Amino acid sequence: MPNPDPIGVFDSGIGGLTVVAELQHLLPAENIFYIGDTARVPYGGKTRRTVERYSVEIGGLLLAEQAKLIVVACNTASALAVPRMRKIFKVPVLGVVAPGAEAAVMATKNRRIGVIGTRATVASGAYEHAIRLLAPAAHVVSSACPLLVPLIEEGLFDDPVTDEMLARYLAPILSENVDTLVLGCTHYPLLHRAITRATGPGIALVDSAKNCAAAVKSLLSEQNLAAPQDRLGHLNIALTDPAEGFLRVAQNALGIEIGEIMTLAVQSTDRV
Ligand code: DGL
């Protein structure tokens, strides 16, 4: 029996729409319910405990929307909170780290892989761990790029300031002779052109959004969760704060149709 319920997608903000774009492309019949935790973004500089708490709360909101599985589109939440979410929720929980690591291992020829992401993602070592599970001899070098998210949210995709920051952030990675670079943050696919300018054409850029969508497709078919194929799915978007500046930037860059946006309340942002 086909399952008409939506795929729940969650991100700390709007950046996870890069994953939504790939899901829509690969799985056009699926309904998607997306929650961006814009009230508490960014997650990238927060502790594991806080990111787990936020992620579990958003997961609960997705289940209230009948989500048949939860896709954690946020790399930071994938790196820090997926194990906890899997313990708590009965539906499958899929993050972007494992699919990104798998794609990197497939792409590399010299087994030297770079990873860029938020401070919390890089500090967690989640990508190194996932890559080494698949390729124990791989040499992995990571760089935290905390200023890239704000630059992208300002729409500075092709700008000398962004190019300068990329040159600084990528220098320690490029000096290690990597042939593959994992874009370990929801926002970075929007900088594809600028990152290629910085790395030169010889380095494969691995974007976890594409591979995550492929992993969702396999999971839906393995677990008999796919939607009826004779329909066109729709996208619902809910934000925890109606901050829409970057939403328009992302919408233009990704070519996503965005209708009405709901606002959902979350608990206070105070630490517990
Ligand atoms: N969504 C986050 C990620 O992919 C980036 C923005 C944030 O720091 O919350 O890591």
Side-chain angles (χ1 to χ4, degrees):
M1 277 290 282
N3 185 324
D5 292 339
I7 297 173
V9 181
F10 139 60
D11 180 39
S12 56
I14 307 295
L17 289 176
T18 52
V19 174
V20 169
E22 295 297 343
L23 286 170
Q24 286 184 319
H25 180 67
L26 205 61
L27 299 163
E30 295 295 334
N31 288 340
I32 296 172
F33 197 100
Y34 179 93
I35 301 182
D37 194 4
T38 41
R40 302 184 292 201
V41 71
Y43 284 14
K46 295 190 167 77
T47 60
R48 180 182 299 272
R49 199 164 166 226
T50 300
V51 173
E52 280 180 345
R53 186 160 61 86
Y54 292 173
S55 303
V56 167
E57 187 182 359
I58 302 288
L61 294 174
L62 286 171
L63 291 192
E65 300 295 336
Q66 267 70 52
K68 60 186 170 188
L69 80 137
I70 296 174
V71 176
V72 182
C74 177
N75 283 256
T76 305
S78 295
L80 272 60
V82 161
R84 177 119 194 88
M85 292 175 81
R86 286 196 175 133
K87 276 199 189 122
I88 290 175
F89 298 123
K90 291 210 171 69
V91 301
V93 178
L94 233 125
V96 284
V97 170
E102 216 169 280
V105 170
M106 302 267 285
T108 186
K109 295 201 167 58
N110 69 1
R111 306 248 140 183
R112 300 178 76 83
I113 298 169
V115 177
I116 52 175
T118 64
R119 275 209 177 96
T121 298
V122 167
S124 76
Y127 271 104
E128 280 92 331
H129 179 73
I131 290 169
R132 293 225 179 85
L133 276 181
L134 300 167
H139 177 70
V140 186
V141 45
S142 307
S143 177
C145 308
L147 288 176
L148 292 187
V149 165
L151 289 169
I152 295 164
E153 298 212 342
E154 289 301 323
L156 301 177
F157 303 146
D158 294 295
D159 189 280
V161 177
T162 306
D163 288 345
E164 167 64 23
M165 286 322 303
L166 278 170
R168 287 195 202 191
Y169 286 143
L170 292 177
I173 291 184
L174 297 179
S175 67
E176 295 277 339
N177 192 29
V178 303
D179 71 351
T180 301
L181 179 66
V182 180
L183 309 186
C185 172
T186 44
H187 290 50
Y188 300 170
L190 298 173
L191 280 190
H192 204 278
R193 261 195 321 265
I195 296 173
T196 306
R197 268 199 301 278
T199 61
I203 294 184
L205 302 187
V206 169
D207 159 355
S208 44
K210 257 198 193 80
N211 302 293
C212 177
V216 170
K217 187 174 180 184
S218 313
L219 191 137
L220 288 177
S221 90
E222 275 160 25
Q223 303 208 9
N224 265 331
L225 289 173
Q229 297 302 298
D230 57 352
R231 72 174 197 191
L232 195 59
H234 64 265
L235 168 66
N236 280 310
I237 297 185
L239 302 177
T240 57
D241 182 274
E244 291 178 31
F246 180 50
L247 187 60
R248 300 299 155 207
V249 172
Q251 179 177 16
N252 291 339
L254 297 168
I256 285 183
E257 289 279 332
I258 293 175
E260 213 172 302
I261 296 167
M262 284 166 63
T263 306
L264 286 175
V266 280
Q267 311 262 310
S268 87
T269 57
D270 299 336
R271 281 161 196 264
V272 285

